[in-house]
Amino acid sequence: MSLPHAILTALLEKPSSGLELTRRFDRSIGYFWSATHQQIYRELGKLEAEGLIRALPAEQPARGQKKAYEVLPAGRAELARWTGASQDPKPHRDALLLRLRAAAVVGTAGIEADLRRHLELHERQLAEYREIERRDFPPGRDGPEDRLRHLVLRAGIDLETFWIQWLGHALAEFAHLPDAGEGERPGEPRA
Amino acid sequence: MSLPHAILTALLEKPSSGLELTRRFDRSIGYFWSATHQQIYRELGKLEAEGLIRALPAEQPARGQKKAYEVLPAGRAELARWTGASQDPKPHRDALLLRLRAAAVVGTAGIEADLRRHLELHERQLAEYREIERRDFPPGRDGPEDRLRHLVLRAGIDLETFWIQWLGHALAEFAHLPDAGEGERPGEPRA
DNA sequence: CACGCTTATGCAACTAGTTGCATAAAGCGG
DNA sequence: CCGCTTTATGCAACTAGTTGCATAAGCGTG
């Protein structure tokens, strides 16, 4: 249950409207906690009802009008509490690894092309992260906040690097496999 | 929507009852696609209703009695279709990275201990993976199925290795931080 | 044999997340 | 000033996943 806390963090970094939050989730925060605009609007409503955030007063608060929120002291306190509380890591789910395991039983037909596609996607993401690193973390900036945020970005960079390497290994393995990509069924007797 | 396919894969590897599947999800398959027993029972019911699997005939099919399932040809076909179909990677969610980002705003109180705890958990998981590797993939075994399954295990091993390294960096960073773990608020002016 | 423990299956209610669509105002071009 | 697109907010329905509990048989033991 971390979406409210992701939103609190984003709002503390800068008070924003629902749509602005949505855009920022598409960029930085969404890299490790994605959310759609509907989730965000719903959660903003809840957080306001709970007294953790409030809408900044606007001139004409009408529909189709930006409505910006800011974090109240209670919200900051709740975020600090959650941040410091011990949490168990959630078990991950990775469909690609699952598919590879399935391929060991029903055959590898079609999967190699998708591995290549994933490789490209990860390379693109890595390039984006490196660009952010170059832009936001030049050698000079190294206050405590910068160090922490840089650390998070490093995780993103290293994870993408890992996937690129692993997909490389996987594709190399496929090159050695008999009839790779031709739909053979390794679990079945072969002629 | 991959749980049914995870179950089909597991059942193809070996026909099983709901509880046996649950146990196997706790071990091997659950490492990259976790599921509770309730999810599994529900899904087994659906898969049977759709004609993708069937219950193996038992002597006395009563409650509290093992009921094993096997995959029907339609199930194998569906799994092969799904395995070969192109799929976009789901955006990941990582609460720990989110917390670190929050810590950059509301302070790092309490989080360092949890980083250490996570480090330990990952070290334990890595040890488990290495044990599985030693046991299931000795140098001799290298048929196509083994290579694919080993590849999946390698991903698990390398991912754990990545997290262990990253958590090491993170903890080193904390050691350099002023007042680390004492609840300072880096976003606020300091005395 | 009655009691409690383990194995095995399952329902119901809840929480979280996704998808599709609706509404409304502002800006803009003819 | 009318229709079109963009910006902004939001509801409703659906799908997926989790939590808590219920049921029932088997098994051991005092």
Side-chain angles (χ1 to χ4, degrees):
Chain A
M1 232 260 304
S2 315
L3 178 58
H5 303 99
I7 290 178
L8 286 172
T9 305
L11 286 181
L12 277 171
E13 288 174 359
K14 181 178 183 317
S16 312
S17 69
L19 192 70
E20 284 167 344
L21 279 178
T22 303
R23 294 210 208 289
R24 287 167 57 201
F25 268 75
D26 284 343
R27 296 185 279 111
S28 58
I29 293 201
Y31 291 145
F32 48 89
W33 204 276
S34 69
T36 61
H37 70 114
Q38 288 87 347
Q39 279 179 280
I40 289 169
Y41 282 122
R42 215 186 334 177
E43 207 59 48
L44 283 171
K46 280 192 206 168
L47 287 169
E48 191 178 21
E50 290 167 17
L52 302 186
I53 63 175
R54 68 161 181 187
L56 287 172
E59 296 80 57
Q60 5 173 16
R63 212 191 155 94
Q65 195 75 12
K66 274 190 196 182
K67 194 164 77 176
Y69 293 89
E70 68 174 356
V71 179
L72 294 172
R76 177 181 275 267
E78 165 56 23
L79 184 60
R81 186 205 60 74
W82 176 81
T83 303
S86 164
Q87 269 180 249
D88 283 333
K90 289 251 160 178
H92 13 95
R93 299 214 161 117
D94 190 299
L96 196 59
L97 293 177
L98 187 56
R99 282 165 71 198
L100 221 53
R101 175 119 174 199
V105 189
V106 296
T108 55
I111 206 175
E112 197 178 350
D114 214 32
L115 290 178
R116 275 188 228 287
R117 199 171 62 90
H118 279 239
L119 180 55
E120 251 183 63
L121 291 172
H122 284 295
E123 276 166 349
R124 206 164 308 164
Q125 185 67 61
L126 178 59
E128 198 170 329
Y129 284 158
R130 289 213 189 281
E131 175 61 20
I132 293 173
E133 188 178 40
R134 195 189 58 73
R135 202 185 55 215
D136 292 357
F137 302 100
R141 307 196 62 201
D142 61 346
E145 314 98 275
D146 299 311
R147 284 167 169 275
L148 286 175
R149 280 194 265 264
H150 197 172
L151 199 55
V152 173
L153 182 59
R154 277 315 308 170
I157 289 174
D158 292 351
L159 267 174
E160 294 303 325
T161 304
F162 153 74
W163 280 113
I164 289 167
Q165 280 183 357
W166 181 83
L167 283 164
H169 285 154
L171 287 166
E173 202 65 70
F174 270 69
H176 293 155
L177 237 52
D179 317 323
E182 289 303 324
E184 92 289 10
R185 287 154 46 158
E188 301 282 296
R190 279 181 296 279
Chain B
M1 234 260 304
S2 314
L3 179 58
H5 302 100
I7 291 178
L8 287 172
T9 304
L11 286 181
L12 277 171
E13 289 174 359
K14 181 176 184 319
S16 313
S17 69
L19 192 70
E20 284 166 345
L21 279 178
T22 302
R23 294 210 208 288
R24 287 168 57 202
F25 268 75
D26 284 344
R27 296 186 279 110
S28 60
I29 293 202
Y31 291 145
F32 48 89
W33 205 275
S34 68
T36 62
H37 71 115
Q38 288 87 347
Q39 279 179 279
I40 288 169
Y41 282 121
R42 214 186 334 179
E43 206 59 47
L44 282 172
K46 280 192 207 169
L47 287 169
E48 191 178 21
E50 290 167 16
L52 301 187
I53 64 174
R54 69 162 181 186
L56 286 172
E59 296 79 58
Q60 7 172 16
R63 212 190 155 95
Q65 195 74 13
K66 274 190 195 182
K67 195 165 75 176
Y69 293 90
E70 68 175 356
V71 179
L72 294 172
R76 178 181 274 267
E78 165 56 23
L79 184 60
R81 186 204 61 73
W82 176 81
T83 304
S86 164
Q87 268 180 249
D88 282 333
K90 288 250 160 178
H92 13 96
R93 298 214 162 118
D94 190 298
L96 196 60
L97 293 177
L98 187 57
R99 282 166 70 197
L100 221 54
R101 175 118 174 199
V105 189
V106 296
T108 54
I111 206 176
E112 196 177 350
D114 213 32
L115 290 178
R116 275 188 228 287
R117 199 171 62 90
H118 279 238
L119 180 55
E120 250 183 63
L121 291 172
H122 284 295
E123 276 166 349
R124 205 165 308 164
Q125 186 67 62
L126 178 58
E128 198 171 328
Y129 284 158
R130 289 215 189 280
E131 175 61 20
I132 293 173
E133 187 178 39
R134 196 191 57 75
R135 201 185 55 216
D136 292 358
F137 302 99
R141 310 195 60 200
D142 61 347
E145 314 99 276
D146 300 309
R147 284 167 169 274
L148 285 175
R149 280 194 266 263
H150 197 173
L151 199 55
V152 173
L153 183 59
R154 273 323 300 173
I157 290 173
D158 291 351
L159 267 174
E160 294 302 326
T161 304
F162 153 74
W163 281 112
I164 289 166
Q165 280 183 356
W166 181 82
L167 284 164
H169 285 155
L171 286 166
E173 201 66 70
F174 269 70
H176 293 154
L177 237 51
D179 316 322
E182 289 303 324
E184 92 287 11
R185 287 153 47 157
E188 301 283 295
R190 279 181 296 280

